[in-house]
Amino acid sequence: MDTAVMLVGQAPGAHESTYGKPFAYTAGKTLFKWMEKGTGIDEESFRENVYIAAVARCFPGKSGRGDREPNAEEIARCREHLKKEVQILKPDLIIAVGRVAITEVLGVDTFPKSRTLSEVVGKKIKAHFLGQDVDVICLPHPSGVSSWPHTEEGKKKLTAALRILKNHPAWQNQLT
């Protein structure tokens, strides 16, 4: 795929292997609903034009409230694979979806656990990620586990993030 836009998510969910594609189940339905409403791009066009990767490559398993977040060791084991994807694609824009992906893309110094989604969602952030200078647009995780995207502030920040995404030159060149 030749694209300047890359999405980095957390990890495959329990259903992705069944469907053979990332964001194939509940979180995907929400993510693509956000994309269509906020940018006018449907799921098929998104999948054709945006490279979708993940911080961890294997389903990490379940936790009490849903899918378990990959731990530091699992993320470290997969980092080289993600680095090769970034080196090959050389994206201009990365859409980081969820806290785990946001921390990996921005770095723990920029986005430690003590920072909130409100501090990064709804902004374009410049970052140096795995050897590549990129613009980063952060989105909350669409799984439904977090109530943040449903709060007034979350809705406003998500709308702002999608507006920035829609108007970003890499998005414009790739998807319009």
Side-chain angles (χ1 to χ4, degrees):
M1 172 183 278
D2 184 23
T3 183
V5 183
M6 180 178 195
L7 180 145
V8 176
Q10 174 174 299
H15 302 282
E16 269 70 12
S17 62
T18 302
Y19 293 99
K21 58 186 174 183
F23 287 101
Y25 207 63
T26 307
K29 286 182 174 79
T30 301
L31 176 68
F32 295 118
K33 182 176 77 174
W34 291 348
M35 288 297 159
E36 188 151 13
K37 183 178 179 186
T39 70
I41 300 299
D42 65 16
E43 178 179 351
E44 183 180 344
S45 296
F46 187 96
R47 288 186 183 280
E48 287 175 6
N49 290 285
V50 176
Y51 186 86
I52 302 174
V55 170
R57 298 303 182 190
C58 299
F59 173 57
K62 292 285 188 185
S63 70
R65 291 181 21 187
D67 295 349
R68 180 178 64 78
E69 290 183 357
N71 62 38
E73 184 181 316
E74 291 164 329
I75 292 169
R77 279 196 310 255
C78 296
R79 191 170 287 125
E80 193 60 33
H81 188 84
L82 185 56
K83 182 177 182 178
K84 291 207 182 307
E85 290 171 310
V86 170
Q87 288 172 339
I88 291 167
L89 291 171
K90 296 181 180 25
D92 296 319
L93 172 62
I94 292 180
I95 306 163
V97 179
R99 289 190 70 84
V100 172
I102 294 167
T103 299
E104 183 69 11
V105 173
L106 296 181
V108 73
D109 291 338
T110 302
F111 192 68
K113 284 192 181 274
S114 60
R115 289 197 67 189
T116 66
L117 287 173
S118 297
E119 296 176 70
V120 293
V121 175
K123 300 175 181 177
K124 178 180 77 174
I125 302 167
K126 298 234 179 252
H128 188 76
F129 178 56
L130 300 175
Q132 182 74 17
D133 291 324
V134 295
D135 289 337
V136 181
I137 297 175
C138 303
L139 299 178
H141 198 285
S143 69
V145 172
S146 170
S147 60
W148 186 84
H150 306 289
T151 66
E152 249 345 275
E153 180 185 32
K155 289 176 188 175
K156 287 179 185 172
K157 296 277 187 169
L158 178 58
T159 298
L162 293 168
R163 186 177 328 107
I164 293 165
L165 178 61
K166 180 179 181 178
N167 293 313
H168 191 280
W171 183 269
Q172 289 283 315
N173 291 337
Q174 192 71 40
L175 288 131
T176 58

